[in-house]
Amino acid sequence: MSIIFRYVIEEKIVERFIDFFDVSSDKTGSGLADVILPVIKKWDLGNKIIAQTYDGASVMSGTKNGVQSLIKNIYPNVLFIHCYAHQLNLVLLYGAKTIKPVKLFICNLTMFHTFFSRSSKRKFKKNLENLRKEQTVNTCCDEAIQLNNDFEYGDKQKNNLHKITYEILDSLIVQINIRFEDTSELEFVELTNEKMFDIYHNTFPECKLIKLLKQYPNMFEENRLRNELSVIYSDNNKHLPPHKLLDLIIKNNLQEIYSQFTKLCQLVLTIPATTASSERSMSTLKRIKSFLRNTMTNERLTNLSSLAIEKNLLGVMAKDPTFVENIIDDFVKKKERRIELEYKII
């Protein structure tokens, strides 16, 4: 199991690999929670942790004995997010598995996800609904004929395409409604949606603010946050995406003036939407723990993985001229080595 921390330093979103953990002896929800909780305690995250993200396995997402549930019992305000990349994959999988021609088509399709890769649930659903038109099928047939003159579509073929298209789109829309029904818990994120600031200036989003305060009851000063939001919404120069707005506030030393809004931006930017970083760390693990290195200890494996995963951070640290010398000194002090790595005064 891989653990990744996501946090904000000033205006920068940072994700750091923490460790690999061998959970082969106990893969139950309680067993995995017993691995995660000491890590939270070790890094003193009890009053800082705001969200947890896992894949959709029942042992992780179960509402009674799943890892997220057990952690929520100890930290009640921690939001659980089922990785949206996994959910989108399930939408396509279950939306197509009951339609045989589509199931065969999806099996051979490798880049279908890029079509909607930048769409939110609302946009995704709207795009699908817009595709559900007779003109869509006619346009696809015409373009297919332009690409290959051997294609011919009579009325019967077009009617079949209409039927299959509507069947696919209806199935996908149903799956979206099922898989993304819990997005209402993240409705407070819309408080920082710059595209809505003009509307919020005229009609303050009270419901979204209430959801935020309900989810994180001890984090914000309600009246001050409401006033700061009203000021942000009324200033056109501050109608910026959260990361740019946070950057603007920090560069102009306005953190004390907008203390609650700064905290809100950091919270929104910290919430992880996917487990992509964890998946990438597993890819690194496969590259490092090869057949020739199969017997290395977990500690050594984690250390080598950290060097590979955090190579950018390592590059920054290596700019210090004393960095390599300090590493060698620490290495020498751990135990006696076969070769001389430092000068000894005799």
Side-chain angles (χ1 to χ4, degrees), residues 3-18 43-45 48-53 243 246 250 262-274 277 310 313 317:
I3 293 182
I4 307 287
F5 286 169
R6 178 184 174 92
Y7 54 95
V8 173
I9 295 181
E10 294 182 349
E11 78 282 3
K12 296 179 181 178
I13 306 168
V14 180
E15 290 188 347
R16 292 284 180 235
F17 167 76
I18 301 303
W43 292 88
D44 193 23
L45 301 179
K48 300 174 186 176
I49 185 170
I50 60 167
Q52 52 181 330
T53 303
H243 65 285
L246 183 60
I250 291 171
T262 299
K263 194 184 296 184
L264 173 61
C265 285
Q266 290 175 333
L267 182 146
V268 168
L269 293 172
T270 304
I271 294 174
T274 71
S277 297
E310 301 294 350
L313 178 60
M317 296 170 67

Side-chain angles (χ1 to χ4, degrees), residues 120 122-123 186-201 205 208 229 232-233 238-243 245 261 264-265 268-269:
S120 62
R122 181 178 62 257
K123 221 170 164 190
L186 290 171
E187 195 174 346
F188 64 81
V189 173
E190 286 290 299
L191 289 168
T192 59
N193 182 359
E194 76 282 1
K195 295 177 182 178
M196 301 293 292
F197 283 3
D198 286 328
I199 297 173
Y200 293 161
H201 176 49
K208 295 177 175 61
L229 286 170
I232 295 289
Y233 296 154
K238 293 185 176 66
H239 289 193
L240 300 169
H243 65 285
L245 187 50
F261 184 78
L264 173 61
C265 285
V268 168
L269 293 172

